[in-house]
Each structure stands twice: as C-alpha cells, then as structure tokens.
Amino acid sequence: MKNRIENKFQELKKNKAKAFIAFITAGFPNLSATEKLIYALDSAGADIIELGVPFSDPLADGPTIQSASYLALKNGTNLKKIFEVVKKARAKTEVPIALMTYYNPVFHYGEELFIRDCVKCGVDGVIIPDLPPEEATTLISLARKNNIATVFFVSPTTSVKRMRFAAQKATGFIYYVSTTGVTGERRNLAKNIFDNVRKIKQLTHKPVCVGFGISNSSQAKEILKVADGVIVGSAIIKKIAENKTCPNLNEKVKKFVFTFKKEIK
Amino acid sequence: MKLPDKKGYFGVFGGKFVPETLMSLLDELTKVYYSLAKDKNFKKEFEFYLKEYAGRPTNLYFAKRLSQHFKNLKIYLKREDLLHTGAHKINNTLGQILVAKKMGKTRIIAETGAGQHGVATATVCALMGLKCEIYMGSEDIERQSLNVYRMNLLGAKVIPVESGSKTLKDAMNEAIRDWVTNVNNTFYLIGSVAGPHPYPVMVRDFQSVIGKEARAQFMKKEGRLPDALVACVGGGSNSMGLFHQFFNDKSVKMIGVEAAGFGLNSKKHAATLKRGSIGVLHGSKENILQTADGQIEIAHSIAAGLDYPGVGPEHSYYQSIKRAEYVSVTDNEALEGLKLLSETEGIIPALESSHAIAYLNKLSRKVKGKKSVIVCLSGRGDKDVSTIKEII
C-alpha cells in the first residue's frame, strides 16, 4: 500500500491543487475533542493533519502551542492515548495524519515500538523538529521498512549542501520553516521564503510545504505561488483556545479552515 | 581514543538534537572552535584573561582543620571560590566570549540557575563591551535576588522565565527559543558541559584549567597523585573541569556528588545520574529525569545551580564506563557541609559546593586507611546567605 501522505500529494498534483496542512495539539482541550476535530478538519478540506504530541519542553514552539501542550499534558495526554485516538479515527476517515513531536517522548517510547504503533494505528508520517536527519538514522530505517514518512526541515539558515541532505532524507514532504524562530503567528512574511523554496525545488521533486508564522489566508495564497503546501498551526490552536468551551467548537474551526481553503483553491 | 567523536558523541551520549535553524551555526561553531583550540594566539589570549582578570591560578589549599575533623582524610581544596565573580563559571565565560568575538557575534544570551553563570556572563560582556541578556527562571530570581542585582549593575538585562518549573531548565528552553530567532547576530553562551555539540567539549576544555592546575599543584606538594577527587555535579562543569585531566590516572578515584534534595525516594531531587535514565534534553543525549511518558521531570535542590534534570553527556559516559562514581547528598546534609567548612576553615562555600564537602562525611566512613582528596570548591557562599538565613 502506498503512503497516504504521498498519495495525497500525487492526487493534488494531478488536480493542480495545493496542500493545506492543519496542525492541532492532541489532547487540547482534551482527547475526545481531538478525535472530533480530526473529523472537522477533514470535512473542512484539510489535506493532511499534523497531530502534535505534547512535550514538557517544547523549545521550537511559541507561547500559543506551548500553552496548548501544557494543558494537554495536564489532561494526561500521552503517545499511547494519541495512538488510540488515531486508530479510532481511522474507522471513519482516510485523511493523512502525521505526528509532530519532540524526540524524547519517541526515544523513550522506543523507536521500534513507535513505528510499529504508527503502522498499527494508521499514522502516516512523523515530524520531529529537534531530530535533524544526521541523528535520525535509526528512525529513518525503521520508517522506510514500514512505509512511514519522515519529514525533515529546511530553514532560512540551511546551506545548499544541507538542503540537498534534507531533501534526500525526507519522505512525504519537506518542511520549510518560513523564518528563524519558534512557531506562532507573524504579521509579515519573510522575504526570502520564495527564493529558498525555489532553491529547494531545484534540488528535488519532493513536495515542499511552508510552515511557522502563517496566520491568514492571504499569506497562504502568497506562499503557494511557489510552495506545494502550507502548514497552519498556532492560528488554528488560537481558534480552538478561544472556543474551547463553546458547543460549536468544531463548526468554528471548520469555518476558519474554509477561509484558507477558499483562497487557495 | 579522543572523545567526543566527530559527531559529538561520548560513547552513546551527546550529539546534536536541535532545530534545523541551528544546525549550520553549530557546524560553524564546531569548525571555529576546533581551529581556535589549536591556535597559539587564542590560547595566549585566553590564558592572559584567566590570569590577569579572573585571578588564576587558584590555590590548592590544604584544609588542615577539616582534615583533622575527619582524621582519615587529607583534604585539599581547589579554591575556585576565590576567582573573580566568586565561582569557576568565569573560566568558561571568558573562553566563550573570545570565541563569540572571533565569530563576529554582537549579542550574547545565556541561561542561569543560581545566577553565578549569569553574573559571569554579564561580567565578560561588560569586559568586552557586548550586549547581554540573561534568561532566569522567576523562582530562581526570587531565590537569588542578589545575583540579579549584580547582573543589572553589570549592564545585563535579566529576563524572567515564567514557563514550566520557572527554574534552570525553563530558562534554557527560553534561551534556545531566543537563539533560534536571533541566530545570525547572537551567541548562546551555555554555562555547563551540556547542550548540543560542540558545547560539552568546548566548556570542558575551558574548565579543564581546574584539573590541570590541581594536578600539578598536588604533585608539587605531595609528590604523587591524589587518591580521590570530589566535586558537585549539576550540569557538571566544575566536576568535569577537575576530572578530565585525571582521566588516564587510573589510580585516582573520581566522585561526582549530585543533589539528593529531600532524598532520592522523595521525587524531589536532582540526581540525574543516580536516578535518571537516558534521554534527550536541550540538544544532547544524556541521563535525564523523566516520567514514564518521556516528559521531563522537575528537579529539586536547595542549590539553584544543581537544580537541573539533565547532566553533561560526558558524565553519563564516565558513569557508563565506570570511570567515575556518582553519589548524592541531601539538602540537609549539604547545609551541614556548609556549616562544617565555615566553622573549621573560615570558608563559606556555595550551597552547590557544600554538596561536595558534605560527601566527605560519607567518604570518611567508607575508606580504609588514610586517603588524600582534592575537593573542588567551585564557588563561594555569599550569594546563598539569605537562603541559608531562612533555614538555619
């Protein structure tokens, strides 16, 4: 069977469409809400869902995702429970799901068991911001054998040599970090995004998606002139935080995702 | 075999677990550092500042009354507490600020727990005329208000960190977030033998002056090597600074003393090597305190400088090959150690260093015959007086 993330990009390419990738923190505001949010994002047209596995020390995240992670951990969220949610969701949806987390929870869980549970529960890819490809040898080889995508990062400070390295090691897509810094909404886009994405695309045929700091649909539209997809995280988390006690939480999030989908089609 | 290896590993410990944005910078820093380490002029400049500014060499002082107290131990104190700013931290900050200058960085950031590293960083920034911002947990700010004031006097900005446990680990998270954001002009001056490669090796090298001096001084006084070295371990920079030069002297026992806080079974301690397990924190694979889910646990010690749930990867390596032994003493035992040294020698040690002193009590009961020991007196206790006053 082909990987759902790779299938999705093939399908998008055929339709000359771009990917909208939605990030949510699993367990925020709680795990049953997470399951419902997966369905909501799917029906709103999110092409891929990044499910954040909360970590106590999220050093690549800004305040929005930090506080979502903190609350999720307080709720008792852990990898095992997140796998169960994905497994349950797989009965109802084929939307590609990637887990985004830090390395220690995965390392402590055991990389072999982690990949096995990804396969068992229907997780399609892993994204670990503090695991550069040179430290990921074990994880990459386990993931390859099991058809799980390993997404790696390129940032504004990445040399061409490292770009080539990341492009070679990444499967699923390449994650271009729009700016130096942590996750979180930004008013302005960095100017060098376009040049850098073009540079990466000259080195590889793999899809390049841009994340960090994208907070509205016009920014997304701008970026998609060069990139194959955009990743929106903090802006969605903020929407969830604002409406977390609201009975219409899913509708509100759906509506927010629609604003992006409308612009980028 | 020379360690760390090319990838920054000491056995299975170490490495570079950081966001991609920092990888090119770390590669550059590694290149610059290894070339400076071989550069005679750099060495000369570093030694100049150590001698003329920091006050090296520090004495290896025979603690006669303390030795008499234990009867079977001949104790020498390596007096890092006599250095400018009051602790061994200045050795490392002088080294790194020179590296930062060579790299053309204009802004320095650092994390601090007890405030000693923050003060030492603010000091060298003032000395070199560089902008300095220090991240410090808000709980530590309260515990170490005197050091906060010192940093301000030195022209540094102290940024309170309110996230997580509000102590050293969170200050380090926040410093790394700043670093990722301002990577082009900013140098992150890490205070311990922790963090991603090349920091553990760079900090170890800068602190190795402790062991180099102590070894030669002891040889001169005693005509032989000591039987044991004792030093406290938080992140582990003063202990590694002392230990590393004795690595090949197999007869010399190395003892690292961790903070047992309220006791090893209390869940409120900082004994990473004794009670932690392998994991990844702040850029390196090392022993850490973690939950069953791989979340980082909050450490506790009365000594803010030991209050850290990780430890330098080289210590994890020393423990794994049994080159060093790691032990622990509680908050209360450390306070006893502080009183003991104050009353027998007229030296008030820092709460961190008091852990090393306190362990002598256990060592004295364990050894057979008379043994000679070098204790690293990593810092002076002035900064802790208000904390101690509340307790004793």
Side-chain angles (χ1 to χ4, degrees):
Chain A
M1 200 180 90
K2 279 209 79 166
N3 182 285
R4 287 188 194 88
I5 298 172
E6 284 169 2
N7 279 347
K8 174 59 77 173
F9 277 108
Q10 267 184 9
E11 177 196 314
L12 288 167
K13 202 174 173 185
K14 226 189 309 171
N15 301 334
K16 294 197 164 59
K18 305 281 184 158
F20 177 79
I21 303 175
F23 170 94
I24 55 170
T25 299
F28 175 71
N30 55 60
L31 274 170
S32 67
T34 300
E35 190 194 336
K36 287 176 198 125
L37 281 166
I38 292 173
Y39 306 137
L41 291 169
D42 182 24
S43 70
D47 297 294
I48 297 169
I49 295 173
E50 268 185 29
L51 213 45
V53 179
F55 180 51
S56 54
D57 294 72
L59 49 79
D61 285 305
T64 308
I65 294 176
Q66 275 179 50
S67 72
S69 302
Y70 178 78
L71 280 169
L73 286 175
K74 240 172 104 181
N75 287 337
T77 306
N78 62 21
L79 252 175
K80 218 174 145 194
K81 291 179 187 168
I82 294 168
F83 277 127
E84 281 162 21
V85 168
V86 177
K87 198 175 167 190
K88 226 168 130 192
R90 274 288 167 248
K92 297 190 190 171
T93 173
E94 281 297 304
V95 65
I97 295 176
L99 293 186
M100 179 154 183
T101 184
Y102 290 84
Y103 187 46
N104 197 58
V106 173
F107 180 71
H108 194 70
Y109 195 84
E111 287 169 289
E112 215 173 317
L113 184 61
F114 174 78
I115 292 294
R116 207 167 65 203
D117 283 352
C118 283
V119 175
K120 209 167 81 186
C121 302
V123 169
D124 308 294
V126 289
I127 309 172
I128 307 178
D130 64 344
L131 188 71
E134 44 268 81
E135 299 286 2
T137 318
T138 311
L139 193 74
I140 291 173
S141 89
L142 288 165
R144 284 302 161 278
K145 274 184 225 146
N146 291 283
N147 199 23
I148 300 292
T150 51
V151 172
F152 288 108
F153 291 81
V154 170
S155 91
T157 59
T158 303
S159 63
V160 173
K161 193 176 153 203
R162 284 193 63 82
M163 270 183 194
R164 204 170 278 130
F165 182 51
Q168 183 205 333
K169 296 291 178 186
T171 46
F173 62 93
I174 294 155
Y175 193 131
Y176 180 74
V177 179
S178 75
T179 172
T180 61
V182 293
T183 58
E185 302 168 69
R186 303 217 184 13
R187 198 172 304 159
N188 299 313
L189 293 176
K191 289 195 185 75
N192 53 10
I193 293 177
F194 305 95
D195 281 348
N196 282 333
V197 170
R198 273 189 212 107
K199 237 188 258 171
I200 306 165
K201 291 191 73 71
Q202 278 167 11
L203 300 171
T204 179
H205 295 297
K206 291 174 187 170
V208 180
C209 301
V210 179
F212 279 42
I214 298 162
S215 45
N216 61 53
S217 54
S218 60
Q219 288 175 335
K221 197 177 168 186
E222 211 34 46
I223 286 171
L224 289 175
K225 285 178 185 163
V226 286
D228 303 297
V230 285
I231 302 142
V232 177
S234 296
I236 295 176
I237 297 292
K238 208 171 134 196
K239 241 329 143 225
I240 297 172
E242 283 165 9
N243 297 289
K244 69 180 175 205
T245 52
C246 172
N248 291 332
L249 170 67
N250 294 329
E251 288 308 311
K252 300 254 181 189
V253 172
K254 245 170 147 171
K255 231 166 123 187
F256 184 64
V257 170
F258 275 139
T259 62
F260 281 89
K261 287 294 288 188
K262 221 168 48 204
E263 280 284 328
I264 65 183
K265 274 290 160 193
Chain B
M1 184 177 39
K2 224 178 144 191
L3 292 177
D5 66 15
K6 268 195 175 155
K7 290 179 165 176
Y9 276 88
F10 305 88
V12 298
F13 304 101
K16 275 192 276 198
F17 296 86
V18 295
E20 172 60 31
T21 302
L22 296 174
M23 289 300 285
S24 297
L25 173 89
L26 288 175
D27 287 346
E28 186 197 345
L29 177 60
T30 306
K31 230 190 253 162
V32 169
Y33 174 65
Y34 278 111
S35 95
L36 287 175
K38 284 184 283 186
D39 182 337
K40 275 191 191 128
N41 289 329
F42 179 81
K43 230 179 118 188
K44 239 165 125 181
E45 197 180 359
F46 180 45
E47 279 165 5
F48 169 83
Y49 283 108
L50 285 179
K51 178 167 176 262
E52 301 292 330
Y53 187 74
R56 300 210 75 93
T58 59
N59 296 332
L60 185 72
Y61 166 72
F62 171 50
K64 194 171 159 195
R65 291 208 344 116
L66 184 67
S67 301
Q68 278 168 356
H69 172 87
F70 289 115
K71 296 187 177 71
N72 61 347
L73 298 177
K74 188 169 192 184
I75 302 158
Y76 282 88
L77 301 177
K78 182 60 176 160
R79 296 292 307 274
E80 297 298 297
D81 61 316
L82 293 177
L83 286 172
H84 178 43
T85 71
H88 71 292
K89 295 288 184 189
I90 192 87
N91 301 326
N92 168 45
T93 56
L94 279 170
Q96 283 195 50
I97 200 90
L98 294 174
V99 175
K101 281 192 73 161
K102 302 274 179 223
M103 291 177 81
K105 302 292 180 188
T106 54
R107 177 176 175 263
I108 305 293
I109 56 167
E111 82 296 336
T112 196
Q116 290 303 97
H117 174 59
V119 168
T121 303
T123 299
V124 298
C125 287
L127 175 70
M128 299 292 172
L130 292 174
K131 198 175 161 196
C132 178
E133 289 177 32
I134 307 285
Y135 287 92
M136 189 169 185
S138 59
E139 187 175 309
D140 288 338
I141 287 182
E142 214 163 281
R143 289 196 276 189
Q144 306 285 346
S145 55
L146 195 61
N147 271 341
V148 176
Y149 190 63
R150 269 196 199 115
M151 289 183 263
N152 289 331
L153 276 179
L154 291 160
K157 189 173 157 198
V158 179
I159 304 169
V161 175
E162 300 286 351
S163 57
S165 65
K166 302 172 188 174
T167 62
L168 184 55
K169 110 182 147 82
D170 308 283
M172 204 154 170
N173 289 338
E174 217 44 50
I176 293 173
R177 290 183 188 119
D178 179 318
W179 194 26
V180 175
T181 309
N182 302 299
V183 58
N184 291 323
N185 70 343
T186 297
F187 187 92
Y188 181 20
L189 210 158
I190 296 182
S192 197
V193 286
H197 179 64
Y199 281 94
V201 59
M202 183 165 70
V203 178
R204 176 199 79 194
D205 289 353
F206 291 144
Q207 291 292 5
S208 286
V209 65
I210 302 173
K212 259 181 229 162
E213 283 176 12
R215 195 175 184 282
Q217 289 165 322
F218 193 91
M219 286 295 266
K220 200 169 165 198
K221 284 176 199 270
E222 295 283 333
R224 55 186 284 266
L225 287 167
D227 297 310
L229 311 172
V230 178
C232 65
V233 182
S237 70
N238 88 85
S239 43
M240 190 48 70
L242 179 63
F243 292 176
H244 187 252
Q245 292 301 308
F246 292 88
F247 185 84
N248 293 321
D249 301 319
K250 299 288 181 220
S251 68
V252 181
K253 219 173 138 110
M254 300 172 177
I255 303 168
V257 186
E258 295 190 295
F262 293 143
L264 287 184
N265 296 322
S266 68
K267 289 205 155 191
K268 288 197 145 192
H269 62 76
T272 331
L273 289 157
K274 288 271 283 188
R275 284 299 167 94
S277 54
I278 187 169
V280 172
L281 177 63
H282 296 144
S284 89
K285 205 178 262 179
E286 60 195 31
N287 281 73
I288 60 172
L289 300 178
Q290 58 187 326
T291 67
D293 293 330
Q295 306 294 342
I296 308 304
E297 281 195 298
I298 290 167
H300 165 81
S301 169
I302 190 173
L306 303 182
D307 203 347
Y308 182 63
V311 66
E314 197 165 8
H315 280 294
S316 290
Y317 174 67
Y318 278 24
Q319 175 171 264
S320 73
I321 60 163
K322 298 190 166 66
R323 179 62 191 94
E325 182 195 353
Y326 294 90
V327 297
S328 66
V329 309
T330 63
D331 286 353
N332 285 335
E333 288 166 333
L335 285 167
E336 290 303 316
L338 181 139
K339 276 201 277 188
L340 178 65
L341 189 68
S342 302
E343 287 166 11
T344 56
E345 296 290 347
I347 298 169
I348 303 173
L351 279 171
E352 290 76 13
S353 325
S354 299
H355 285 72
I357 300 292
Y359 183 70
L360 295 174
N361 197 21
K362 295 183 182 176
L363 185 66
S364 166
R365 275 182 274 143
K366 246 172 87 175
V367 298
K368 290 188 186 97
K370 197 163 179 178
K371 300 288 180 197
S372 59
V373 186
I374 297 176
V375 178
C376 188
L377 197 61
S378 54
R380 68 175 86 121
D382 306 30
K383 68 178 175 66
D384 297 315
V385 171
S386 62
T387 311
I388 300 160
K389 208 174 131 196
E390 276 170 36
I391 304 167
I392 299 183

